[in-house]
Amino acid sequence: MAGGVKVNAEVRDLTRIERIGAHSHIRGLGLDDALEARVVSQGMVGQTKARKAAGVILNMIREGKIAGRAVLLAGQPGSGKTAIAMGMAKALGEETPFAMMAASEIFSLEMSKTEALTQAFRKAIGVRIKEETEIIEGEVVEIEIDRPEGGSAAKQGKLTLKTTEMETIYDLGTKMIESLHKEKVSAGDIIAIDKASGKVTKLGRSFARSRDYDAMGPATKFVQCPEGELQKRKEVVHVVTLHEIDVINSRTQGFLALFSGDTGEIRAEVREQIDAKVAEWREEGKAEIVPGVLFIDEVHMLDIECFSYLNRCAQLNSHDLGAT
């Protein structure tokens, strides 16, 4: 909790969860430096003129020349409108939020039309938060896990980590053992453990184990064994959307509400508090806004009230999209 506004550490994992679907393979628009579309590139194929036009829009976005405007993509079903929109988001950066909704959804949700559109907008606006945290970083020498015969007792174990200058043995509890198992950590891996949340991150394989290359496969990343102390302070950067922060601070179950899907209406006071806190973080250099892409399918189904609200939202500052 930071100044009354919570940004749960576990949301960092949530933002990395991606559904494997029709557009999961797209990594960009597949353009060269001259904005000419390659035949097959970055998961894109066909629609060369539309992709080139999207590339021109991208350049305008990067130069800040298209603020407060929307882009209309027209075409038959299956012609690649969603793919191009996602390609634009990916080309802007891996951390660029991409939110998608069908216009017909706002007439079936149990909330007002403006609230549905506000939530969609805030899903497409990220906040890159910088914070210092205590981490333990080193090469795994050995993992010993005691498995009780009965199966009901909690698992216990020991983890041996080393750097180029020291080696230490840590006692493991059930939660940490599960985290190590989830990340498939084994001897020779370089890992980082966040002391605050217990989150385990596998950074790669030690260069000392490079002889394992044939067994591990070409995708294996080899890194140097860390130097100095095992425990150190490190700046961590993670991106969450404004909508995720809204939900965490407006529901008693916190970040778990994000999994239920039905987040309900969020009070304007909550958003005002969050916007004020984000503005404060920006002034202090602790955070920055990451504008994303909001793709609205079947946009012809929106009524004049929705278009008027969309136009108003597009004119506002990216972090000032509260309910009205």
Side-chain angles (χ1 to χ4, degrees):
M1 188 159 181
V5 174
K6 294 179 285 185
V7 184
N8 197 301
E10 295 183 66
V11 176
R12 301 178 211 172
D13 290 336
L14 186 68
T15 57
R16 295 191 184 94
I17 296 175
E18 292 185 4
R19 180 179 64 85
I20 302 300
H23 304 103
S24 302
H25 62 289
I26 294 173
R27 304 185 308 280
L29 288 170
L31 304 175
D32 58 22
D33 294 338
L35 297 184
E36 293 296 333
R38 300 186 180 98
V39 178
V40 180
S41 180
Q42 296 181 319
M44 299 289 280
V45 60
Q47 294 292 4
T48 55
K49 292 182 179 179
R51 283 156 57 196
K52 181 175 181 178
V56 174
I57 298 295
L58 274 183
N59 283 349
M60 294 173 68
I61 293 173
R62 292 187 180 111
E63 294 170 5
K65 296 181 178 178
I66 196 171
R69 306 249 181 127
V71 177
L72 177 64
L73 302 176
Q76 295 294 321
S79 57
K81 300 183 295 295
T82 307
I84 288 174
M86 181 171 284
M88 292 175 73
K90 293 290 186 181
L92 287 170
E94 278 298 319
E95 294 180 337
T96 302
F98 178 79
M100 176 181 170
M101 71 177 297
S104 55
E105 290 177 23
I106 71 169
F107 299 106
S108 57
L109 293 171
E110 295 180 357
M111 62 178 72
S112 67
K113 291 181 285 188
T114 54
E115 172 66 16
L117 290 171
T118 299
Q119 289 192 14
F121 260 102
R122 290 175 77 89
K123 286 177 184 176
I125 301 171
V127 183
R128 184 182 290 114
I129 302 171
K130 305 172 187 176
E131 60 182 3
E132 277 200 350
T133 185
E134 290 275 350
I135 66 165
I136 298 171
E137 186 177 273
E139 178 182 337
V140 178
V141 178
E142 187 180 17
I143 303 176
E144 295 180 11
I145 299 175
D146 299 327
R147 303 181 186 276
E149 291 183 5
S152 58
K155 294 179 183 177
Q156 292 182 329
K158 294 184 182 296
L159 170 67
T160 306
L161 289 177
K162 73 171 185 178
T163 65
T164 55
E165 299 176 13
M166 64 182 296
E167 184 172 310
T168 305
I169 299 175
Y170 295 92
D171 292 325
L172 299 177
T174 303
K175 182 179 177 182
M176 186 57 67
I177 290 172
E178 290 175 354
S179 297
L180 292 170
H181 180 71
K182 178 184 175 183
E183 293 294 323
K184 299 180 180 177
V185 174
S186 60
D189 288 337
I190 307 295
I191 65 170
I193 303 172
D194 188 325
K195 288 190 67 178
S197 64
K199 181 175 179 292
V200 177
T201 304
K202 186 157 70 171
L203 305 176
R205 193 87 176 145
S206 172
F207 270 115
R209 302 289 185 123
S210 57
R211 63 180 181 276
D212 299 341
Y213 179 81
D214 291 337
M216 302 299 292
T220 304
K221 178 183 176 183
F222 290 97
V223 295
Q224 295 285 359
C225 181
E227 300 178 350
E229 298 284 328
L230 276 163
Q231 188 170 313
K232 59 193 78 173
R233 291 192 67 83
K234 191 173 184 180
E235 185 181 79
V236 177
V237 179
H238 54 275
V239 177
V240 294
T241 67
L242 284 176
H243 178 67
E244 288 169 349
I245 302 176
D246 292 344
V247 173
I248 290 168
N249 288 275
S250 64
R251 300 290 178 267
T252 54
Q253 63 267 50
F255 87 102
L256 292 174
L258 291 164
F259 290 99
S260 66
D262 181 16
T263 56
E265 295 210 9
I266 296 169
R267 290 179 294 112
E269 307 87 73
V270 174
R271 289 201 174 110
E272 288 172 5
Q273 181 188 8
I274 290 168
D275 289 344
K277 180 55 65 174
V278 169
E280 181 183 321
W281 288 342
R282 292 178 71 192
E283 289 179 6
E284 295 172 355
K286 295 179 181 177
E288 57 186 80
I289 295 295
V290 184
V293 174
L294 170 60
F295 179 71
I296 303 178
D297 203 4
E298 304 169 346
V299 72
H300 61 280
M301 296 190 68
L302 296 179
D303 57 22
I304 190 65
E305 180 185 356
C306 293
F307 278 114
S308 175
Y309 187 73
L310 283 173
N311 183 62
R312 180 182 174 186
C313 286
Q315 307 300 325
L316 293 172
N317 290 329
S318 56
H319 66 286
D320 191 26
L321 291 170
T324 56

